[in-house]
Amino acid sequence: MTVPTGRRERKKAATRQKIADTALRLFLERGYDAVGIRDVAAEADVAVTTLFAHFTSKEALVFEQDHDFEQRLAHAVSAREPGEPLIPALRHEILALVRHCTAEGSAPIWRMIDASPALRQYEETMRLRHAESLAEAIAADPDLDRTAMACRTIARFVIDAHSLAREAADPDAAVDEIFRMIEGAWDAADVRAAANS
Amino acid sequence: MTVPTGRRERKKAATRQKIADTALRLFLERGYDAVGIRDVAAEADVAVTTLFAHFTSKEALVFEQDHDFEQRLAHAVSAREPGEPLIPALRHEILALVRHCTAEGSAPIWRMIDASPALRQYEETMRLRHAESLAEAIAADPDLDRTAMACRTIARFVIDAHSLAREAADPDAAVDEIFRMIEGAWDAADVRAAANS
DNA sequence: ACAGTAACACTAACCGTTAGTTTTTTGGAA
DNA sequence: TTCCAAAAAACTAACGGTTAGTGTTACTGT
């Protein structure tokens, strides 16, 4: 079989990391738009084609945590304690993610993202993906018998919460307020509760 | 004075229309990705720079109704009868807009949009703009004393409703279901109701 | 040791987009 | 009518992200 032992994979990962680190450093030093792909490749000492073998686009160089983010949300849904309600679990996870964005270390990166239309646009595309994957995680939970559409809808709302709270003056308060509304939406999607009213 | 009489404006509008019509025809004939900007410009018999003087990007050639859409939503909020509740008014407008997207005539265009990553990404950017402008319209209504954050949140949800319902198998039912959830979110944002509970 | 393959390099181009400059068209005044 | 200022459009030439095609090197499993 072909389960490659370490060295090749390590070298590949090292190349990828070197590219990502170089790119982020240059972007923060000179500004995203002022740094070209050819600059990054030269500084990282790789060919342009190599760079694009590791990252699908210039914007992807900035969003490395993309996959983590997606998985943390799905995990927050699937790894709940038995009987633990959905929305508070999501609220807790989103709050942690928002705090991570607004923390000292990450702040310059997000300021750069907010300043660049290309990066904002890329973030939007990611958000749709995240919402879809979150919707699937919610729909997969047997304890929550909502319609597929209700799951997709609430997933969108949760992703919106992250986007809105991330840019708010008081992120913690924003998460509180938005999740109160999401809770209302989730309750309204409960068909049994609607029948009992 | 500098109030140009009609001809110049008419010719400019005609050029713009010719470009848009040519582009849409070619896109639908050969596919969005298979048609280049230079193809469109040649077929419309204008210079490439002229095309970009009328449209800010290739994607913008497809989304001409953009401005209409934005204004119709804001109008649905500001032009309510006195005492008419917000959410049903928005529900009515979104339903009309969704039906317009899924109507016979527009269907091929939206199929093309859904098939092209570039167009989907552009649509996402538009949606953010629409949500912001809708949020302002809602915040401007003196009868609705919700926080600015609640207005922005509900605006996002309404835009999400359009996006989700547009792609649903049964758009009318989707609008119903999603707006039941939005109603729940809107009620939960009412601080006075929360104090009474 | 060897063959196959994954990672990478190099060239050259495509495509969307823009800056700089010049020509044509148009509306209004002399 | 004739001429001028300004708008619209054209032309040229490039820039920057991205990809295809083609080798070359280095690692892995046999």
Side-chain angles (χ1 to χ4, degrees):
Chain A
M1 282 298 277
T2 46
V3 181
T5 41
R7 185 164 339 179
R8 190 175 267 175
E9 282 178 347
R10 262 184 291 122
K11 287 211 173 185
K12 183 174 183 179
T15 302
R16 181 191 165 89
Q17 199 57 41
K18 187 176 185 184
I19 294 170
D21 292 347
T22 305
L24 203 54
R25 179 169 57 80
L26 292 184
F27 289 160
L28 290 174
E29 277 174 15
R30 309 181 204 165
Y32 180 76
D33 289 328
V35 178
I37 284 290
R38 289 159 178 92
D39 298 331
V40 176
E43 184 89 4
D45 200 29
V46 296
V48 172
T49 45
T50 300
L51 188 154
F52 279 108
H54 286 274
F55 298 91
T56 56
S57 69
K58 186 187 181 186
E59 294 90 45
L61 286 166
V62 177
F63 292 98
E64 277 222 283
Q65 347 76 313
D66 178 16
H67 200 242
D68 278 1
F69 187 98
E70 191 166 345
Q71 294 210 319
R72 283 187 61 172
L73 274 180
H75 187 258
V77 173
S78 59
R80 278 173 301 142
E81 301 289 320
E84 187 184 357
L86 174 71
I87 304 296
L90 283 170
R91 197 195 80 93
H92 184 263
E93 188 62 34
I94 288 287
L95 183 60
L97 289 166
V98 166
R99 281 180 174 160
H100 185 261
C101 284
T102 55
E104 273 311 305
S106 309
I109 298 175
W110 286 99
R111 237 178 289 123
M112 176 179 81
I113 292 168
D114 290 338
S116 160
L119 288 174
R120 291 188 79 105
Q121 195 158 349
Y122 188 84
E123 193 200 352
E124 276 301 299
T125 303
M126 290 192 337
R127 289 180 52 223
L128 266 195
R129 269 213 325 280
H130 298 164
E132 277 308 309
S133 105
L134 176 57
E136 280 176 31
I138 297 175
D141 189 319
D143 295 347
L144 316 164
D145 60 329
R146 301 294 203 283
T147 65
M149 181 56 79
C151 295
R152 298 186 71 207
T153 303
I154 218 69
R156 291 265 193 142
F157 291 2
V158 169
I159 300 295
D160 284 335
H162 179 266
S163 163
L164 287 165
R166 172 176 90 65
E167 302 193 65
D170 183 346
D172 285 32
V175 169
D176 271 357
E177 182 170 9
I178 299 168
F179 266 89
R180 236 178 291 127
M181 297 173 71
I182 291 178
E183 192 92 51
W186 183 243
D187 290 344
D190 192 334
V191 267
R192 293 163 307 178
N196 292 354
S197 73
Chain B
M1 286 294 274
T2 47
V3 180
T5 41
R7 183 164 347 186
R8 189 174 269 178
E9 284 176 347
R10 261 184 292 122
K11 287 214 172 186
K12 184 174 181 179
T15 302
R16 181 192 165 88
Q17 199 58 42
K18 187 175 183 183
I19 294 170
D21 292 348
T22 305
L24 203 53
R25 180 168 58 80
L26 292 184
F27 290 160
L28 290 174
E29 278 174 14
R30 309 180 202 165
Y32 181 76
D33 290 327
V35 178
I37 285 289
R38 289 160 179 92
D39 298 330
V40 176
E43 184 88 4
D45 199 29
V46 295
V48 171
T49 45
T50 301
L51 188 155
F52 279 108
H54 287 275
F55 299 91
T56 56
S57 70
K58 186 187 181 186
E59 294 88 43
L61 287 165
V62 176
F63 292 99
E64 278 221 282
Q65 349 75 311
D66 178 15
H67 200 241
D68 278 1
F69 187 98
E70 191 165 344
Q71 294 210 319
R72 284 186 61 172
L73 274 180
H75 187 258
V77 173
S78 59
R80 279 174 302 142
E81 302 288 319
E84 187 185 358
L86 175 71
I87 304 297
L90 283 169
R91 197 195 80 93
H92 184 263
E93 189 62 34
I94 288 288
L95 183 60
L97 289 165
V98 165
R99 280 179 175 159
H100 185 262
C101 285
T102 54
E104 273 311 305
S106 310
I109 298 175
W110 287 100
R111 237 177 289 124
M112 177 180 81
I113 292 168
D114 289 339
S116 159
L119 289 174
R120 291 189 80 105
Q121 195 158 349
Y122 188 84
E123 193 200 352
E124 274 303 298
T125 303
M126 290 191 338
R127 289 181 52 223
L128 267 195
R129 269 213 325 279
H130 297 166
E132 276 309 310
S133 104
L134 176 56
E136 279 175 31
I138 296 174
D141 190 319
D143 295 346
L144 316 164
D145 59 329
R146 302 294 204 284
T147 65
M149 182 56 79
C151 295
R152 298 186 72 208
T153 303
I154 218 69
R156 291 266 192 142
F157 291 1
V158 168
I159 300 295
D160 284 336
H162 179 267
S163 164
L164 287 164
R166 171 177 90 64
E167 303 192 64
D170 182 345
D172 284 33
V175 169
D176 270 357
E177 182 170 7
I178 299 168
F179 265 90
R180 235 177 291 128
M181 296 172 71
I182 291 178
E183 193 92 52
W186 182 244
D187 290 344
D190 192 333
V191 268
R192 293 162 307 176
N196 291 356
S197 74

